Short mmCIF file of all heavy atoms in Angstrom, two decimals:
data_model
loop_
_atom_site.label_atom_id
_atom_site.label_comp_id
_atom_site.label_asym_id
_atom_site.label_seq_id
_atom_site.Cartn_x
_atom_site.Cartn_y
_atom_site.Cartn_z
N LEU I 22 0.84 -1.21 0.00
CA LEU I 22 0.00 -0.01 0.02
C LEU I 22 0.89 1.28 0.01
O LEU I 22 0.64 2.20 -0.76
CB LEU I 22 -0.92 0.01 1.24
CG LEU I 22 -1.69 1.31 1.46
CD1 LEU I 22 -2.68 1.59 0.35
CD2 LEU I 22 -2.36 1.28 2.81
N VAL I 23 1.92 1.29 0.85
CA VAL I 23 2.75 2.44 0.91
C VAL I 23 3.51 2.69 -0.40
O VAL I 23 3.66 3.82 -0.83
CB VAL I 23 3.69 2.33 2.15
CG1 VAL I 23 4.75 3.41 2.14
CG2 VAL I 23 2.87 2.40 3.41
N VAL I 24 3.96 1.65 -1.00
CA VAL I 24 4.66 1.79 -2.29
C VAL I 24 3.67 2.32 -3.33
O VAL I 24 4.03 3.24 -4.11
CB VAL I 24 5.30 0.46 -2.77
CG1 VAL I 24 5.76 0.52 -4.23
CG2 VAL I 24 6.45 0.08 -1.85
N GLU I 25 2.45 1.79 -3.38
CA GLU I 25 1.46 2.28 -4.35
C GLU I 25 1.11 3.73 -4.05
O GLU I 25 1.01 4.55 -5.01
CB GLU I 25 0.20 1.40 -4.28
CG GLU I 25 -0.78 1.80 -5.36
CD GLU I 25 -1.99 0.88 -5.45
OE1 GLU I 25 -2.07 -0.12 -4.75
OE2 GLU I 25 -2.86 1.15 -6.32
N TYR I 26 0.96 4.11 -2.79
CA TYR I 26 0.69 5.47 -2.41
C TYR I 26 1.81 6.42 -2.85
O TYR I 26 1.52 7.44 -3.47
CB TYR I 26 0.48 5.51 -0.89
CG TYR I 26 0.86 6.79 -0.18
CD1 TYR I 26 0.00 7.86 -0.17
CD2 TYR I 26 2.04 6.90 0.51
CE1 TYR I 26 0.30 9.01 0.48
CE2 TYR I 26 2.38 8.05 1.18
CZ TYR I 26 1.53 9.12 1.18
OH TYR I 26 1.84 10.26 1.82
N CYS I 27 3.00 6.02 -2.58
CA CYS I 27 4.16 6.84 -2.96
C CYS I 27 4.28 6.98 -4.50
O CYS I 27 4.54 8.08 -5.03
CB CYS I 27 5.42 6.25 -2.35
SG CYS I 27 6.87 7.31 -2.42
N THR I 28 4.06 5.88 -5.16
CA THR I 28 4.13 5.90 -6.64
C THR I 28 3.02 6.76 -7.26
O THR I 28 3.25 7.56 -8.16
CB THR I 28 4.06 4.45 -7.18
OG1 THR I 28 5.15 3.70 -6.62
CG2 THR I 28 4.15 4.41 -8.69
N ALA I 29 1.79 6.63 -6.73
CA ALA I 29 0.68 7.41 -7.25
C ALA I 29 0.96 8.90 -7.04
O ALA I 29 0.69 9.69 -7.95
CB ALA I 29 -0.63 7.00 -6.58
N ALA I 30 1.49 9.27 -5.88
CA ALA I 30 1.80 10.66 -5.64
C ALA I 30 2.85 11.17 -6.61
O ALA I 30 2.75 12.26 -7.21
CB ALA I 30 2.29 10.87 -4.21
N GLY I 31 3.91 10.36 -6.84
CA GLY I 31 4.98 10.74 -7.74
C GLY I 31 4.57 10.80 -9.21
O GLY I 31 5.16 11.58 -9.97
N GLU I 32 3.57 10.00 -9.55
CA GLU I 32 3.07 10.01 -10.94
C GLU I 32 1.92 10.99 -11.15
O GLU I 32 1.31 11.02 -12.20
CB GLU I 32 2.66 8.61 -11.33
CG GLU I 32 3.82 7.66 -11.42
CD GLU I 32 3.41 6.20 -11.73
OE1 GLU I 32 2.19 5.87 -11.66
OE2 GLU I 32 4.31 5.40 -11.99
N ARG I 33 1.61 11.73 -10.10
CA ARG I 33 0.51 12.74 -10.14
C ARG I 33 -0.84 12.12 -10.50
O ARG I 33 -1.67 12.74 -11.14
CB ARG I 33 0.90 13.89 -11.09
CG ARG I 33 2.14 14.61 -10.60
CD ARG I 33 2.62 15.70 -11.56
NE ARG I 33 2.70 15.35 -12.95
CZ ARG I 33 3.73 14.70 -13.49
NH1 ARG I 33 4.75 14.32 -12.75
NH2 ARG I 33 3.75 14.45 -14.79
N ARG I 34 -1.07 10.88 -10.00
CA ARG I 34 -2.35 10.23 -10.19
C ARG I 34 -3.19 10.50 -8.94
O ARG I 34 -3.37 9.66 -8.06
CB ARG I 34 -2.17 8.73 -10.40
CG ARG I 34 -1.51 8.38 -11.73
CD ARG I 34 -1.42 6.93 -12.03
NE ARG I 34 -0.48 6.29 -11.10
CZ ARG I 34 -0.76 5.23 -10.34
NH1 ARG I 34 -1.96 4.67 -10.33
NH2 ARG I 34 0.18 4.72 -9.53
N TYR I 35 -3.71 11.73 -8.85
CA TYR I 35 -4.33 12.20 -7.65
C TYR I 35 -5.66 11.50 -7.36
O TYR I 35 -6.01 11.34 -6.18
CB TYR I 35 -4.52 13.72 -7.70
CG TYR I 35 -3.21 14.40 -7.96
CD1 TYR I 35 -3.02 15.21 -9.05
CD2 TYR I 35 -2.13 14.25 -7.09
CE1 TYR I 35 -1.81 15.83 -9.32
CE2 TYR I 35 -0.91 14.86 -7.33
CZ TYR I 35 -0.77 15.67 -8.43
OH TYR I 35 0.45 16.25 -8.69
N ASP I 36 -6.38 11.07 -8.37
CA ASP I 36 -7.61 10.31 -8.12
C ASP I 36 -7.30 8.99 -7.43
O ASP I 36 -7.97 8.64 -6.48
CB ASP I 36 -8.37 10.04 -9.44
CG ASP I 36 -9.00 11.29 -10.02
OD1 ASP I 36 -9.14 12.28 -9.24
OD2 ASP I 36 -9.36 11.27 -11.20
N ARG I 37 -6.24 8.31 -7.90
CA ARG I 37 -5.83 7.07 -7.27
C ARG I 37 -5.30 7.34 -5.86
O ARG I 37 -5.61 6.58 -4.91
CB ARG I 37 -4.78 6.36 -8.07
CG ARG I 37 -4.31 5.05 -7.46
CD ARG I 37 -5.43 4.05 -7.34
NE ARG I 37 -4.96 2.84 -6.68
CZ ARG I 37 -5.70 2.15 -5.84
NH1 ARG I 37 -6.94 2.53 -5.52
NH2 ARG I 37 -5.25 1.03 -5.29
N LEU I 38 -4.55 8.38 -5.69
CA LEU I 38 -4.02 8.76 -4.40
C LEU I 38 -5.15 8.96 -3.39
O LEU I 38 -5.09 8.48 -2.25
CB LEU I 38 -3.16 10.02 -4.50
CG LEU I 38 -2.41 10.46 -3.26
CD1 LEU I 38 -1.44 9.40 -2.80
CD2 LEU I 38 -1.66 11.77 -3.58
N ALA I 39 -6.20 9.65 -3.81
CA ALA I 39 -7.35 9.91 -2.95
C ALA I 39 -8.02 8.60 -2.52
O ALA I 39 -8.52 8.50 -1.38
CB ALA I 39 -8.37 10.81 -3.68
N GLU I 40 -8.01 7.59 -3.41
CA GLU I 40 -8.61 6.29 -3.05
C GLU I 40 -7.77 5.58 -1.98
O GLU I 40 -8.29 4.79 -1.21
CB GLU I 40 -8.70 5.41 -4.26
CG GLU I 40 -9.65 5.89 -5.30
CD GLU I 40 -9.55 5.13 -6.62
OE1 GLU I 40 -8.68 4.25 -6.74
OE2 GLU I 40 -10.36 5.39 -7.52
N LEU I 41 -6.48 5.86 -1.94
CA LEU I 41 -5.57 5.20 -1.01
C LEU I 41 -5.50 5.86 0.35
O LEU I 41 -4.93 5.32 1.33
CB LEU I 41 -4.15 5.14 -1.59
CG LEU I 41 -4.02 4.37 -2.92
CD1 LEU I 41 -2.64 4.57 -3.52
CD2 LEU I 41 -4.31 2.90 -2.71
N VAL I 42 -6.05 7.06 0.46
CA VAL I 42 -5.94 7.86 1.70
C VAL I 42 -7.26 7.76 2.46
O VAL I 42 -8.35 7.93 1.89
CB VAL I 42 -5.59 9.32 1.38
CG1 VAL I 42 -5.64 10.17 2.60
CG2 VAL I 42 -4.21 9.39 0.72
N HIS I 43 -7.18 7.50 3.75
CA HIS I 43 -8.33 7.43 4.62
C HIS I 43 -9.05 8.79 4.67
O HIS I 43 -8.38 9.83 4.69
CB HIS I 43 -7.92 7.01 6.03
CG HIS I 43 -9.01 6.58 6.90
ND1 HIS I 43 -9.81 7.48 7.57
CD2 HIS I 43 -9.50 5.35 7.21
CE1 HIS I 43 -10.73 6.84 8.25
NE2 HIS I 43 -10.55 5.54 8.06
N PRO I 44 -10.39 8.82 4.73
CA PRO I 44 -11.11 10.10 4.76
C PRO I 44 -10.67 11.03 5.90
O PRO I 44 -10.71 12.25 5.76
CB PRO I 44 -12.58 9.71 4.94
CG PRO I 44 -12.66 8.33 4.39
CD PRO I 44 -11.32 7.69 4.66
N ASP I 45 -10.25 10.45 7.02
CA ASP I 45 -9.86 11.28 8.19
C ASP I 45 -8.31 11.38 8.30
O ASP I 45 -7.80 11.65 9.38
CB ASP I 45 -10.40 10.64 9.45
CG ASP I 45 -11.93 10.60 9.49
OD1 ASP I 45 -12.54 11.51 8.94
OD2 ASP I 45 -12.49 9.62 9.99
N ALA I 46 -7.61 11.22 7.22
CA ALA I 46 -6.14 11.19 7.24
C ALA I 46 -5.56 12.52 7.72
O ALA I 46 -6.16 13.59 7.54
CB ALA I 46 -5.58 10.88 5.86
N VAL I 47 -4.37 12.41 8.31
CA VAL I 47 -3.63 13.61 8.77
C VAL I 47 -2.24 13.53 8.16
O VAL I 47 -1.59 12.49 8.18
CB VAL I 47 -3.51 13.62 10.31
CG1 VAL I 47 -2.67 14.79 10.78
CG2 VAL I 47 -4.91 13.64 10.94
N PHE I 48 -1.79 14.65 7.61
CA PHE I 48 -0.46 14.77 7.00
C PHE I 48 0.28 15.88 7.74
O PHE I 48 -0.20 16.99 7.84
CB PHE I 48 -0.59 15.12 5.53
CG PHE I 48 0.70 15.04 4.77
CD1 PHE I 48 1.16 13.83 4.25
CD2 PHE I 48 1.43 16.20 4.55
CE1 PHE I 48 2.35 13.77 3.56
CE2 PHE I 48 2.65 16.14 3.83
CZ PHE I 48 3.10 14.92 3.35
N GLY I 49 1.48 15.55 8.24
CA GLY I 49 2.26 16.55 8.98
C GLY I 49 3.74 16.29 8.77
O GLY I 49 4.19 15.59 7.87
N GLY I 50 4.53 16.87 9.67
CA GLY I 50 5.97 16.75 9.60
C GLY I 50 6.59 18.08 9.21
O GLY I 50 6.15 19.10 9.69
N THR I 51 7.62 18.04 8.37
CA THR I 51 8.32 19.27 7.99
C THR I 51 7.56 19.92 6.82
O THR I 51 8.10 20.11 5.72
CB THR I 51 9.76 18.98 7.57
OG1 THR I 51 9.78 17.90 6.61
CG2 THR I 51 10.62 18.63 8.76
N VAL I 52 6.34 20.29 7.07
CA VAL I 52 5.50 20.94 6.08
C VAL I 52 4.97 22.22 6.70
O VAL I 52 5.03 22.43 7.90
CB VAL I 52 4.30 20.02 5.64
CG1 VAL I 52 4.82 18.83 4.88
CG2 VAL I 52 3.49 19.55 6.83
N LYS I 53 4.45 23.09 5.85
CA LYS I 53 3.98 24.42 6.27
C LYS I 53 2.93 24.31 7.36
O LYS I 53 2.96 25.04 8.36
CB LYS I 53 3.40 25.18 5.07
CG LYS I 53 3.15 26.61 5.28
CD LYS I 53 2.74 27.26 3.99
CE LYS I 53 2.68 28.74 4.11
NZ LYS I 53 2.38 29.38 2.83
N GLY I 54 1.98 23.40 7.21
CA GLY I 54 0.95 23.19 8.21
C GLY I 54 0.39 21.79 8.08
O GLY I 54 0.50 21.17 7.01
N GLU I 55 -0.19 21.32 9.11
CA GLU I 55 -0.78 19.98 9.11
C GLU I 55 -2.03 19.96 8.23
O GLU I 55 -2.80 20.93 8.26
CB GLU I 55 -1.15 19.56 10.54
CG GLU I 55 -0.93 18.11 10.81
CD GLU I 55 -1.09 17.77 12.28
OE1 GLU I 55 -2.19 17.94 12.81
OE2 GLU I 55 -0.12 17.29 12.86
N ALA I 56 -2.21 18.91 7.46
CA ALA I 56 -3.40 18.75 6.60
C ALA I 56 -4.30 17.71 7.23
O ALA I 56 -3.83 16.64 7.65
CB ALA I 56 -2.98 18.33 5.19
N HIS I 57 -5.60 18.02 7.32
CA HIS I 57 -6.57 17.10 7.90
C HIS I 57 -7.63 16.73 6.85
O HIS I 57 -8.19 17.66 6.23
CB HIS I 57 -7.25 17.76 9.10
CG HIS I 57 -6.28 18.01 10.23
ND1 HIS I 57 -6.08 17.10 11.27
CD2 HIS I 57 -5.50 19.07 10.49
CE1 HIS I 57 -5.18 17.60 12.06
NE2 HIS I 57 -4.82 18.77 11.64
N GLY I 58 -7.85 15.45 6.69
CA GLY I 58 -8.84 14.99 5.73
C GLY I 58 -8.17 14.62 4.42
O GLY I 58 -7.10 15.15 4.05
N ALA I 59 -8.80 13.65 3.70
CA ALA I 59 -8.24 13.15 2.48
C ALA I 59 -7.99 14.24 1.43
O ALA I 59 -6.96 14.27 0.79
CB ALA I 59 -9.12 12.04 1.93
N GLU I 60 -8.94 15.14 1.27
CA GLU I 60 -8.80 16.17 0.21
C GLU I 60 -7.61 17.08 0.49
O GLU I 60 -6.78 17.36 -0.40
CB GLU I 60 -10.09 16.98 0.08
CG GLU I 60 -10.00 18.04 -1.03
CD GLU I 60 -9.61 17.51 -2.39
OE1 GLU I 60 -10.01 16.42 -2.78
OE2 GLU I 60 -8.89 18.24 -3.13
N ALA I 61 -7.47 17.51 1.72
CA ALA I 61 -6.36 18.39 2.08
C ALA I 61 -5.03 17.62 1.97
O ALA I 61 -4.00 18.18 1.50
CB ALA I 61 -6.53 18.94 3.48
N PHE I 62 -5.05 16.37 2.33
CA PHE I 62 -3.87 15.50 2.28
C PHE I 62 -3.38 15.40 0.81
O PHE I 62 -2.24 15.67 0.50
CB PHE I 62 -4.28 14.13 2.78
CG PHE I 62 -3.16 13.17 3.07
CD1 PHE I 62 -2.91 12.72 4.35
CD2 PHE I 62 -2.40 12.64 2.04
CE1 PHE I 62 -1.91 11.81 4.63
CE2 PHE I 62 -1.40 11.72 2.31
CZ PHE I 62 -1.14 11.31 3.60
N VAL I 63 -4.33 15.10 -0.09
CA VAL I 63 -3.97 14.95 -1.52
C VAL I 63 -3.61 16.30 -2.13
O VAL I 63 -2.71 16.39 -2.96
CB VAL I 63 -5.12 14.27 -2.26
CG1 VAL I 63 -4.87 14.25 -3.77
CG2 VAL I 63 -5.34 12.83 -1.74
N GLN I 64 -4.25 17.36 -1.67
CA GLN I 64 -3.93 18.69 -2.21
C GLN I 64 -2.47 19.07 -1.99
O GLN I 64 -1.89 19.75 -2.85
CB GLN I 64 -4.86 19.76 -1.56
CG GLN I 64 -4.70 21.14 -2.21
CD GLN I 64 -5.03 21.16 -3.68
OE1 GLN I 64 -6.04 20.58 -4.12
NE2 GLN I 64 -4.19 21.80 -4.45
N GLY I 65 -1.90 18.64 -0.93
CA GLY I 65 -0.47 18.89 -0.68
C GLY I 65 0.39 18.36 -1.82
O GLY I 65 1.32 19.02 -2.27
N PHE I 66 0.04 17.17 -2.30
CA PHE I 66 0.78 16.60 -3.42
C PHE I 66 0.43 17.32 -4.74
O PHE I 66 1.31 17.49 -5.59
CB PHE I 66 0.51 15.09 -3.55
CG PHE I 66 1.18 14.29 -2.46
CD1 PHE I 66 0.43 13.85 -1.39
CD2 PHE I 66 2.52 14.05 -2.48
CE1 PHE I 66 1.02 13.13 -0.36
CE2 PHE I 66 3.15 13.32 -1.48
CZ PHE I 66 2.41 12.84 -0.40
N ARG I 67 -0.82 17.72 -4.90
CA ARG I 67 -1.20 18.49 -6.10
C ARG I 67 -0.39 19.79 -6.17
O ARG I 67 0.02 20.21 -7.26
CB ARG I 67 -2.71 18.85 -6.07
CG ARG I 67 -3.59 17.74 -6.51
CD ARG I 67 -5.01 18.32 -6.72
NE ARG I 67 -5.94 17.23 -6.93
CZ ARG I 67 -6.74 16.73 -6.03
NH1 ARG I 67 -6.79 17.26 -4.83
NH2 ARG I 67 -7.56 15.73 -6.33
#
């Protein structure tokens, strides 16, 4: 799953990426701000 997620993000397949991300997902770390929810999570890669 993680390899597919990483590959989809790198190939800019955002529809597939959204399918792989949980609706309540949280994205953080060395980023401008934490993203909450699948749409915000995927938007970071967009």
Side-chain angles (χ1 to χ4, degrees):
L22 171 65
V23 169
V24 169
E25 185 173 359
Y26 151 80
C27 192
T28 302
E32 293 176 349
R33 299 177 311 279
R34 292 184 292 126
Y35 305 119
D36 289 343
R37 179 62 182 142
L38 186 60
E40 294 170 356
L41 299 171
V42 174
H43 193 279
D45 299 325
V47 177
F48 188 84
T51 52
V52 293
K53 192 174 189 176
E55 216 171 63
H57 296 268
E60 181 55 36
F62 192 115
V63 173
Q64 186 60 44
F66 288 102
R67 278 193 190 101

